[in-house]
Amino acid sequence: MSGENSSADDVRADDVQRVWDVVVVGAGPAGASAAYAAAVAGRRVLLLEKAELPRYKTCGGGIIGPSRDALPPGFELPLKDRVHAVTFSNNGRFTRTRRSKQMMFGLINRPEFDQQLVEHAQKAGAELRTGAAVQRVEQHGSAVPDRRTVAVVLQGGETLLARAVVGADGSASRIGAHVGVKVDQVDLGLEAEIPVPETVAEDWKGRVLIDWGPMPGSYGWVFPKGDTLTVGVISARGEGAATKRYLEDFIARLGLAGFEPSISSGHLTRCRADDSPLSRGRVLVCGDAAGLLEPWTREGISFALRSGRLAGEWAVRIAEAHDAVDTRRQALNYAFAVKAGLGVEMSVGKRMLAVFERRPGLFHAALTGFRPAWRAFKEITQGRTSLGELIRSHPLAQRALTAFDPGPAAKENAPAEDAADEEAVTS
């Protein structure tokens, strides 16, 4: 690497070591979307992934309308099932199934889905490098040849240079730590992939189950994917043992305890604080790395796809910025775009979660017995409206939320995950 740290000449810097326009860290939905958006704009894009692809990811795999609408042109969803019915239960009781003539959402396996997204980014011109774990990024110091460059340091010491970096490396993001991402909600999701006989699979075909759980804010799900059922539960951090017990009881209650899971996994989801940054210098974060997900359902795929696309588009602008002022302007524009769309949905989602934690029975009664609530659920999953639009455009929904919302509750940022959560994830 050159020692000419004071050089600001782009051509000379590129001659000494290749400088990518955009380096994207993480090849999940957010990272692949960012790489695609930047590559389509004709830029030199490198997509880094620490694992080998395809790889498993703890995720229900539900593709709702906003996810479908954010996919690259020509993308064919590898659907394992199409959902036309939802069975709701309240901790195993008061079970009722609601049906829809139109498909509400689709179900995918993440390894397949993520792989296809990466292939679309590659077809657009992005270069993929797997087995590349990022140790840190540097925007100052001896590794950085000029003020328009970011150094991406890999484990093992190799350094890559870029005009802009997009962090999409998941909820335990190293790039997020560099940016200073702050979270105010951490949840533990546990999941089992359960192969079942054809007779059992046929009973679940086209239908999912959502169960409002025993702990505040918790719920469970069954998503059918051909000959396998994805069964999972999620609850707030600090309830690791109870969450694990909920999953075990849930599986037993469904009559699935006799089937051996092919995969059992756990994952901590982190939701950003309202004042959390989305950039630092020439580095942007998106998806889970930015803490972008819907706080009530913890749905993250649509947030990853949409924020990834925005990050890729604005990373191109940052790569073209010639000074710190222009870089800052473009980064602020990215933050504004995220907050104006996804941020509004997250704000409503936080209020919905606050009500749901106190009154899960109210949600169950509304979705199973109140036609407008069921219609709203269908329209949200189909992508015809969003939580934010629903509250803005339906006075009844606005009044109901205001009546039950306890108001903004200050949540303290816990410094570390509860030991029970970590045990539940790894055991």
Side-chain angles (χ1 to χ4, degrees), residues 25-26 28-30 50 55 57-58 110 167-178 180-189 234 237 266-272 276 285-293 298 300 304 417 422 425:
V25 183
K50 66 181 179 181
R55 48 95 177 96
K57 166 77 173 176
T58 304
R110 282 290 301 276
D169 49 335
S171 62
S173 167
R174 288 182 181 271
I175 313 301
H178 172 80
V181 172
K182 296 183 290 183
V183 299
D184 66 1
Q185 177 185 328
V186 183
D187 296 287
L188 170 65
I234 195 162
R237 174 182 60 182
H267 181 63
L268 289 168
T269 64
R270 295 173 171 89
C271 187
R272 72 187 294 273
S276 179
V285 285
C286 60
D288 285 344
L292 292 167
L293 73 157
R298 291 80 154 187
E417 281 73 41
E422 298 294 354
V425 169

Side-chain angles (χ1 to χ4, degrees), residues 22-26 30-31 34 164-169 175 282-286 308 311-312 315:
V22 179
V23 168
V24 180
V25 183
V165 171
V166 175
D169 49 335
I175 313 301
R282 290 178 172 268
V283 179
L284 305 177
V285 285
C286 60

Side-chain angles (χ1 to χ4, degrees), residues 68-132:
R68 180 199 61 228
D69 295 342
L71 292 168
F75 189 97
E76 292 188 15
L77 279 165
L79 294 181
K80 295 301 179 184
D81 206 343
R82 292 167 169 80
V83 176
H84 286 81
V86 182
T87 298
F88 295 100
S89 60
N90 190 359
N91 198 20
R93 301 173 299 161
F94 312 115
T95 302
R96 184 176 179 186
T97 300
R98 304 297 303 262
R99 301 185 184 277
S100 170
K101 292 180 181 178
Q102 292 83 34
M103 184 180 88
M104 287 181 286
F105 56 97
L107 300 174
I108 52 92
N109 284 328
R110 282 290 301 276
E112 257 183 291
F113 178 69
D114 291 12
Q115 179 69 36
Q116 279 190 215
L117 285 171
V118 168
E119 288 171 0
H120 268 71
Q122 289 177 287
K123 288 174 185 174
E127 187 171 317
L128 171 68
R129 183 169 168 185
T130 59

Side-chain angles (χ1 to χ4, degrees), residues 31 44 46 103 123 145 167 188 222 243 254 262 269 291-292 296 318 354 365 369 374 407 419:
R44 293 172 297 179
L46 177 62
M103 184 180 88
K123 288 174 185 174
L188 170 65
V222 178
T243 305
L254 294 167
S262 58
T269 64
L292 292 167
W296 173 35
I318 287 174
W374 168 243

Side-chain angles (χ1 to χ4, degrees), residues 235-255:
S235 185
R237 174 182 60 182
E239 298 284 352
T243 305
K244 190 174 183 181
R245 196 160 51 246
Y246 175 28
L247 178 60
E248 292 169 352
D249 293 345
F250 187 42
I251 290 173
R253 196 166 68 219
L254 294 167

Side-chain angles (χ1 to χ4, degrees), residues 212 217 219 294-298 349-350 352-353 356 363 387:
W212 314 119
Y219 74 95
E294 200 282 291
W296 173 35
T297 63
R298 291 80 154 187
K350 286 182 180 181
M352 295 284 280
L353 176 63
F356 175 64
F363 279 82
L387 274 176

